[in-house]
Amino acid sequence: MPKTWNIKIDNYFQANAYCIIATAHVDSFPTDLPLEPNIREPNRKSATYRQIFDSLTTEPVKFFSRHSGIVLSANKVKPSKNKTELELEVLEASEGGSDGIINGGHTVLAFENAKNYKYNLTQARVKVTIHIGLLEEEAKDIALASNTTTPVDSRSKVNARGDYKFIKQYLASLEVAENRKFRIGYYQNQSGAPRNAQCNVNHLLKLINCLDRNKYNPDGNKRTKHPAGMSIPSQITDTERQRLTALLPLLSEALWIEQRLYELIQEHISNPRRKGGNDLASIDTRKNTLLPDSKYSFGFGAPSDLALPIIASYRVFLDKDYKWILPFEEFAEDFLQHLWTNYFRKYLVSEKTAGNTVGTKISRNQEIWESLYISAQSYLNQHLVKMVNSSKLQKLKLTAS
């Protein structure tokens, strides 16, 4: 069922058949309007919010002239008979609507908190622009085009365009199929989403990008031999969506590799060779790390790109259709132990000894990507030789009998 909100006004005029502009009272302005069309949630710690709050509470009479106003979307707008109120009918998202605050989330939050602190706002007014009957795409277009005093990150814009829908749908099905819960941030200041970089939707895209053996192939003539220093596009085209959709079934394995690597690091720093020491570069024992799967939290901080070279080496075991050449569960753990013991742990120790921090630089270190990839090729070849020899031995036994 549609919901209704009333906005007390001094006056209004009909800018066109589908837009009303009004002078609204701040003290009674509804602060529970939905944020569906907005491209990010308001952040009370931001400079934008503090400036609005200070302007409102120090000189409420001048707020109208100092503020650019609020932009709303409603399914219908009905003025009262005495023209002192506007009744807004708002469709919920489940009803196919995209109504609510298009631009002005920080402003409405400032209204709410100023009321909670008992500030006198009876003289404060704000300009309100109400678009009527907007389609979802039209509301998003206005939200994206609205001028903001602080930059909107590219992830929020991608989300506002609906480009992450295919990822959200896949994760929803994965949660049901595997009885797991993900904590993913799709836009700026998203409530309920951790600030950890590992829980950013862009991190998920990096994980599956690492397994694209067709795009990143050192044996080919392409310049992009490894996904080192990869950047996530600010717009997901149809072609890119098709590629990523083909890679999404590998997400579970990529998440498993990352989780197991973090468990190995946890075991290592929990039993250090030197008491009280941490000999791994860029591992901070004073922080915590959350992984996208809500089951996994670790008592140390690590760069978000730390696992990427490890995950990328696993693409050696994939064919051109992104199918595993060997059953993943048969080699994954042993191979990870091999990489950790013989390469990756030694690399982190040597960097710490040299006084270096790995940080996000690891994503641009071509040498570590190359050495892990070559190690994976060698491991696969040895495994295949064993399989061939085992098959030959079996044939000899059958012939002898």
Side-chain angles (χ1 to χ4, degrees):
M1 290 288 292
K3 294 184 177 181
T4 59
W5 277 268
N6 292 321
I7 296 179
K8 189 176 180 180
I9 60 170
D10 286 339
N11 50 61
Y12 76 94
F13 72 94
Q14 193 96 26
N16 59 46
Y18 303 101
C19 181
I20 289 176
I21 299 175
T23 302
H25 290 226
V26 170
D27 61 343
S28 59
F29 195 90
T31 57
D32 57 345
L33 284 162
L35 275 165
E36 288 296 332
N38 212 302
I39 57 179
R40 61 179 172 184
E41 291 190 17
N43 177 12
R44 67 181 67 238
K45 294 182 180 179
S46 68
T48 301
Y49 166 78
R50 291 197 298 270
Q51 289 170 3
I52 295 171
F53 184 84
D54 290 344
S55 176
L56 174 66
T57 54
T58 53
E59 294 186 272
V61 177
K62 296 182 179 180
F63 187 74
F64 183 89
S65 59
R66 293 177 175 178
H67 192 271
S68 59
I70 299 170
V71 181
L72 304 177
S73 172
N75 186 48
K76 296 178 183 178
V77 178
K78 180 182 177 181
S80 63
K81 289 183 179 180
N82 57 6
K83 298 183 180 181
T84 58
E85 282 190 345
L86 295 176
E87 182 182 273
L88 276 60
E89 180 185 273
V90 172
L91 292 179
E92 296 184 359
S94 59
E95 299 171 308
S98 187
D99 298 334
I101 301 171
I102 292 178
N103 190 32
H106 285 99
T107 304
V108 176
L109 179 63
F111 292 175
E112 180 181 16
N113 287 328
K115 292 177 190 179
N116 291 339
Y117 286 113
K118 309 299 182 183
Y119 281 96
N120 185 355
L121 304 178
T122 55
Q123 300 300 312
R125 300 291 185 269
V126 65
K127 183 180 79 171
V128 180
T129 302
I130 307 168
H131 296 278
I132 305 167
L134 289 179
L135 298 175
E136 182 181 1
E137 293 304 317
E138 293 172 328
K140 287 178 179 177
D141 182 63
I142 294 173
L144 284 166
S146 297
N147 293 321
T148 56
T149 53
T150 53
V152 178
D153 66 13
S154 60
R155 178 188 52 157
S156 298
K157 295 178 181 179
V158 173
N159 182 68
R161 286 192 293 264
D163 289 354
Y164 292 140
K165 280 185 178 178
F166 74 105
I167 299 175
K168 294 177 181 178
Q169 291 170 352
Y170 182 82
L171 289 178
S173 63
L174 198 61
E175 284 184 334
V176 174
E178 300 186 1
N179 191 28
R180 62 203 302 187
K181 183 67 178 176
F182 293 101
R183 44 193 173 197
I184 309 297
Y186 295 99
Y187 55 89
Q188 214 167 340
N189 307 328
Q190 181 179 335
S191 59
R195 292 186 178 274
N196 289 68
Q198 284 87 345
C199 297
N200 188 317
V201 65
N202 287 337
H203 183 65
L204 293 187
L205 294 177
K206 286 184 178 183
L207 295 184
I208 58 175
N209 262 314
C210 283
L211 292 172
D212 193 345
R213 54 88 67 202
N214 295 325
K215 183 176 182 179
Y216 303 106
N217 185 1
D219 301 323
N221 296 321
K222 297 180 181 179
R223 190 174 61 176
T224 52
K225 296 184 181 299
H226 300 288
M230 76 175 109
S231 59
I232 301 301
S234 58
Q235 184 172 0
I236 299 178
T237 62
D238 290 341
T239 302
E240 183 72 357
R241 185 179 295 105
Q242 290 175 3
R243 183 182 73 87
L244 293 171
T245 299
L247 287 165
L248 271 175
L250 299 172
L251 180 60
S252 289
E253 285 87 349
L255 290 170
W256 181 89
I257 297 166
E258 182 179 53
Q259 166 249 315
R260 280 296 295 135
L261 175 64
Y262 276 50
E263 287 177 344
L264 292 175
I265 292 173
Q266 185 78 69
E267 292 171 11
H268 178 83
I269 63 177
S270 298
N271 300 282
R273 294 181 179 180
R274 181 167 58 85
K275 188 174 181 180
N278 166 34
D279 59 355
L280 302 179
S282 295
I283 300 301
D284 191 341
T285 55
R286 299 165 299 177
K287 298 181 179 180
N288 295 309
T289 299
L290 306 179
L291 294 188
D293 189 324
S294 61
K295 290 190 297 184
Y296 298 107
S297 304
F298 295 90
F300 62 87
S304 61
D305 291 350
L306 186 69
L308 298 188
I310 293 278
I311 294 171
S313 65
Y314 275 77
R315 73 191 190 278
V316 168
F317 301 89
L318 291 166
D319 63 20
K320 60 182 180 61
D321 297 318
Y322 305 126
K323 304 296 182 185
W324 296 105
I325 296 171
L326 305 173
F328 183 80
E329 61 276 4
E330 291 185 9
F331 77 91
E333 175 68 25
D334 184 70
F335 177 57
L336 182 62
Q337 294 282 355
H338 167 76
L339 290 183
W340 169 251
T341 304
N342 298 305
Y343 294 92
F344 208 63
R345 181 182 60 80
K346 292 179 180 179
Y347 163 70
L348 294 178
V349 170
S350 65
E351 289 295 312
K352 182 65 176 279
T353 303
N356 299 329
T357 55
V358 177
T360 55
K361 293 179 182 178
I362 194 170
S363 66
R364 297 187 293 271
N365 187 339
Q366 290 282 346
E367 291 183 9
I368 191 66
W369 294 80
E370 181 71 17
S371 64
L372 292 175
Y373 186 86
I374 292 173
S375 177
Q377 284 183 315
S378 175
Y379 183 95
L380 175 61
N381 290 337
Q382 291 175 19
H383 204 88
L384 293 175
V385 167
K386 288 180 181 179
M387 291 175 62
V388 170
N389 290 338
S390 177
S391 178
K392 288 180 179 179
L393 182 60
Q394 186 66 23
K395 286 181 180 179
L396 287 174
K397 286 182 179 178
L398 291 172
T399 303
S401 60

